[in-house]
Every structure is written in structure tokens, then in C-alpha cells.
Amino acid sequence: MRIFASGIWQQSFLRAGESTFESGAGRFTSYPILGFHFDASDVDLSTSVAQCKAVTDKIAAVILHGIKTDGDGNSYDTMTEMIQHNVAEAMENGGQEILDALTEQLTTFLAEQ
């Protein structure tokens, strides 16, 4: 990103492509989570990610089209019901392990900041 305003250097504007944004103190927020990378290289955690993804993939395509039948052929009355069922199944198939690892890694990362 270059800092320009009509080709003249001005620190009060940021230009990204053809858009110009005013900059200055208080205009941008830095979050302490910036720079965090989830590490799923552990074999057991990688297995949990794969299992969880297999479950969530059951509704990934159909949900975009408003279809209330999951990849196993189960029909639901509402999209919300289908999503809730899928989330519960995903949590049973590795989702909880992922959430626990994410919480642990993020807590450690934030403690080191």
C-alpha cells in the first residue's frame, strides 16, 4: 500500500488501488490477535480437522442453494435445524478438540504479547 494523494506525498491519506482513505490517529484499530496462526500440525489435531471438515462438507454446497437436505439424504423443516444438527455432529467428530486446541493456542499467544 502506498501513501499518495494525487501523486503528492501526504501522510493523511492512504490509497489502495483507486480508493483513498483518510488516515490518522484513532482511525485504525490494531487487535492483539493479529499475527496469530492456528497450528494444526499435530497428528491427532489434523485428524480432528479432517473429520470435522468431512461433516461440515455434507451441507456446504446445499446450504448455498437453500436446499434443506444434507449430504446423507436427511431432510429438515428449516435451514436452521439442518445447520444446528450439522454443527452438533461436527462438534462430536473433532470440533470440540479443535475448539480446545484453538483456545489453548490463543491463550498462550495472547499471554506472550
Side-chain angles (χ1 to χ4, degrees), residues 32-51:
I33 195 172
L34 292 176
F36 173 75
H37 297 280
F38 180 63
D39 180 13
S41 61
D42 177 68
V43 174
D44 293 333
L45 188 55
S46 295
T47 301
S48 295
V49 170
Q51 290 172 335

Side-chain angles (χ1 to χ4, degrees), residues 1-15 20-28:
M1 183 181 299
R2 295 180 180 170
I3 301 177
F4 287 109
S6 303
I8 302 170
W9 175 269
Q10 290 186 353
Q11 291 187 359
S12 60
F13 291 96
L14 294 176
R15 185 175 209 179
T20 303
F21 306 96
E22 191 174 349
S23 67
R27 301 215 185 258
F28 297 99

Side-chain angles (χ1 to χ4, degrees), residues 95-105:
Q96 189 60 52
E97 289 83 2
I98 296 167
L99 185 59
D100 293 344
L102 176 63
T103 302
E104 180 182 335
Q105 289 179 27

